[in-house]
Amino acid sequence: QVELVESGGGSVQAGGSLRLSCIASVTNYCMAWFRQSPGKEREGVAYITSGGTTYYADAVKGRFTISQENAKNTLYLQMNNLKPEDTGTYYCAAGSSGLCSLSQSYIHYWGQGTQVTVSS
């Protein structure tokens, strides 16, 4: 049974910071964060390969940092300089280790999501 459990969401004002965490019961997967805002499709935010290579969507580049702590099987998303348009439900995801992508097509497992709300 694969489990991805997110935490760390909350409400902040624009310009603030939050750090999301995801405890994963899998290893050697490509790990990613996605988000979904009301009325919009789910979109990829960032991924990290098992070797530590990272990739970011243009909308968050320079503001968000994805990282992982292998000893704790934990994935993080540090979000700085948050904007109201970053509001949404954030999902931890695990995909094939050999093919990392921000496309949902490559995701095998999803967490339950954690809410992030940024007010102006």
Side-chain angles (χ1 to χ4, degrees), residues 23-110:
I23 298 176
S25 64
V26 293
T27 58
N28 296 319
Y29 274 74
C30 179
M31 300 300 297
W33 289 97
F34 284 72
R35 67 185 181 188
Q36 187 166 20
S37 303
K40 295 186 178 181
E41 291 188 1
R42 192 173 297 188
E43 62 177 355
V45 174
Y47 71 67
I48 184 166
T49 69
S50 57
T53 300
T54 59
Y55 180 85
Y56 299 90
D58 288 343
V60 306
K61 203 172 294 183
R63 300 187 297 121
F64 291 11
T65 303
I66 189 171
S67 62
Q68 57 189 4
E69 191 170 353
N70 292 331
K72 296 183 178 181
N73 280 2
T74 302
L75 178 74
Y76 301 102
L77 184 68
Q78 177 66 43
M79 305 185 294
N80 297 328
N81 191 21
L82 282 161
K83 303 176 181 181
E85 52 263 43
D86 294 318
T87 294
T89 302
Y90 282 69
Y91 298 91
C92 175
S96 299
S97 62
L99 189 62
C100 283
S101 170
L102 290 183
S103 169
Q104 295 185 61
S105 301
Y106 297 99
I107 299 302
H108 296 318
Y109 305 106
W110 295 95

